[in-house]
Amino acid sequence: MFAGRHANVTAVRRKNNEIIFYEVPRTTKTWIQKLKKIPLLRGVVAILESSAKGSQHLNFSMESYAEDELPAEKEEDKAQKEAKSEEKSGWSLSMIVGVAVAGIISFIVGKLVFTVVPAAVEELIFGRAFSNIIVHNLIEGGIKILFLLCYLYIISLTPLIKRLFQYHGAEHKVISAYEAGVELTVANVQKFTRLHYRCGSSFMVFSVLVGVIVYSFFHWDSMWERIYIRVLLLPVVLGFSYEALRVTNSMRELPVLRYLGYPGLWLQKLTTKEPNDDQVAVSIASFNRMLELDRQGSQPQPL
């Protein structure tokens, strides 16, 4: 999936080698645009929006994959499907909203789990060992990173997620090739690294590091107090993490800030895999289609 100025595009290769596209215009409510201009708050809004849109595109690719794996439809089944096309189209908006909401809820639940569980584990093991809050937070951050690495490694062993991570790597290669100004061919794109500074993987690392700092300003007297403090401060941590990521991305040519981006690049060794040529070709097709829609969207519309 690639996000342009005017449209988000996902390309999927079907079993017959046809490449199909899922294109969603980038239309954002005015009030959301205003929220995205407010520091700290814009990070939370952008993350939830990305979760919603990402779920829609992932759902499209999964449905396309499932259709290819199902047995060929009988002629009467096709006729019934066509007869109900109008009825299904009436539900399309509600389905899109439903998938978007599911994506947001999944993100929130996942973030809560990775916030609450490490805090509880650290409290149970080291809660009475010492009283230094900063040391407690550092250990909690270490446990959180360990959990995250184990989780990503385990899911990356499954064939479906491994394939998803290969496409993730292909996206990064295409972006890097485009930024380098080379022609987007499979051979050229494959020469570039699958790691990229502007990636959500870096955000995960920043959220852990920023959490250690933010949580150090708040004292707790029990495990439950510690947990609900973390839950309440979660939007604050996400907001600061987003701002920190923006700063390092915009100034990554400076040596010191460039090094701050290294942990995110290291994490991408788990969240990306080396793609094959067919996967790179699909990513190139998606990126080119996004560029085409952006050019169309930037042209003056006839009166």
Side-chain angles (χ1 to χ4, degrees), residues 135-156:
V135 176
H136 278 295
N137 289 336
L138 288 172
I139 296 175
E140 178 186 337
I143 294 174
K144 190 177 298 184
I145 290 178
L146 180 61
F147 279 15
L148 178 62
L149 294 177
C150 291
Y151 170 74
L152 291 174
Y153 174 74
I154 291 172
I155 66 173
S156 69

Side-chain angles (χ1 to χ4, degrees), residues 9-209:
V9 178
T10 288
V12 175
R13 186 189 294 277
R14 301 299 297 266
K15 209 167 188 177
N16 60 2
N17 281 328
E18 175 191 7
I19 296 179
I20 60 175
F21 300 95
Y22 179 56
E23 304 163 1
V24 181
R26 294 195 68 174
T27 54
T28 304
K29 300 292 185 181
T30 304
W31 64 273
I32 294 181
Q33 291 286 15
K34 292 181 179 179
L35 290 177
K36 291 172 72 173
K37 295 179 180 180
I38 303 175
L40 297 183
L41 186 58
R42 63 188 173 192
V44 178
V45 175
I47 293 164
L48 295 179
E49 186 179 42
S50 298
S51 299
K53 291 180 179 179
S55 297
Q56 295 174 21
H57 287 259
L58 186 59
N59 186 67
F60 169 77
S61 63
M62 293 295 293
E63 286 184 349
S64 301
Y65 176 81
E67 288 177 7
D68 282 341
E69 295 302 313
L70 289 175
E73 292 180 316
K74 296 180 181 179
E75 291 299 323
E76 56 268 25
D77 293 335
K78 292 182 180 180
Q80 292 177 2
K81 191 173 184 179
E82 292 176 359
K84 294 181 178 180
S85 60
E86 292 185 5
E87 178 183 349
K88 287 190 175 182
S89 63
W91 289 92
S92 59
L93 179 60
S94 61
M95 290 173 61
I96 291 174
V97 173
V99 173
V101 171
I104 293 174
I105 293 176
S106 299
F107 169 80
I108 293 175
V109 171
K111 194 60 184 174
L112 285 174
V113 169
F114 275 95
T115 298
V116 171
V117 174
V121 170
E122 200 282 335
E123 182 70 22
L124 290 172
I125 298 176
F126 302 101
R128 299 185 181 278
F130 44 83
S131 59
N132 191 304
I133 292 179
I134 295 179
V135 176
H136 278 295
N137 289 336
L138 288 172
I139 296 175
E140 178 186 337
I143 294 174
K144 190 177 298 184
I145 290 178
L146 180 61
F147 279 15
L148 178 62
L149 294 177
C150 291
Y151 170 74
L152 291 174
Y153 174 74
I154 291 172
I155 66 173
S156 69
L157 298 178
T158 63
L160 190 60
I161 298 301
K162 180 181 178 181
R163 186 171 180 81
L164 180 65
F165 286 175
Q166 285 178 301
Y167 275 110
H168 188 192
E171 291 172 355
H172 286 182
K173 283 173 174 277
V174 170
I175 290 293
S176 296
Y178 176 76
E179 292 176 340
V182 304
E183 182 183 1
L184 295 182
T185 64
V186 172
N188 285 342
V189 170
Q190 284 284 37
K191 297 176 183 178
F192 289 84
T193 176
R194 72 179 196 267
L195 311 181
H196 199 280
Y197 270 90
R198 294 193 309 276
C199 175
S201 301
S202 300
F203 176 81
M204 289 189 287
V205 177
F206 270 106
S207 65
V208 175
L209 301 178

